[in-house]
């Protein structure tokens, strides 16, 4: 339980820092990560919980965000177009960070 408490505190600090720069990114990450982190228990199938937490981590959700954005706009997207959009979003983020 102490490990879960430390992990939730780290998650809260991470989300607190991200919200200072981008509310929409923080909301998307919180919507995907907080339920998985809250459901994780020290008992039970650890491989399932580990896979769930890995799939909802920022590194795993970031490549899928352009596809989700296009689906919300009701415009189907191929894999190549999604990859190009992901790279454009990533490049824009790096440019804004350096600006």
């Amino acid at each position: 339980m102490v490990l879960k408490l430390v992990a939730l505190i780290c998650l809260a600090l991470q989300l607190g820092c991200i919200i200072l720069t981008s509310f929409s990114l923080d909301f998307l990450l919180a919507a995907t990560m907080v339920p998985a982190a809250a459901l994780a228990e020290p008992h039970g199938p650890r491989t399932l919980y580990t896979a769930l937490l890995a799939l909802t981590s920022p590194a795993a959700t970031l490549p899928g965000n352009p596809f989700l954005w296009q689906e919300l706009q009701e415009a189907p997207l191929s894999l190549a177009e999604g990859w190009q959009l992901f790279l454009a979003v990533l490049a824009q983020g790096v440019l804004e960070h350096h600006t």
Side-chain angles (χ1 to χ4, degrees), residues 18-73:
I18 293 172
I19 200 167
L20 295 174
T21 58
S22 174
F23 175 77
S24 58
L25 175 64
D26 186 63
F27 179 75
L28 185 66
L29 291 176
T32 57
M33 293 174 64
V34 170
L39 291 176
E41 297 178 1
H43 318 287
R46 290 185 183 201
T47 55
L48 176 67
Y49 289 140
T50 303
L52 182 62
L53 287 173
L55 288 175
T56 58
S57 70
T61 57
L62 186 62
N65 288 342
F67 293 100
L68 179 64
W69 181 70
Q70 286 294 86
E71 282 297 320
L72 291 175
Q73 290 187 345

Side-chain angles (χ1 to χ4, degrees), residues 1-11 35-42:
M1 293 303 282
V2 174
L3 181 61
K4 183 177 178 179
L5 176 68
V6 171
L8 288 175
I9 289 173
C10 288
L11 178 62
L39 291 176
E41 297 178 1

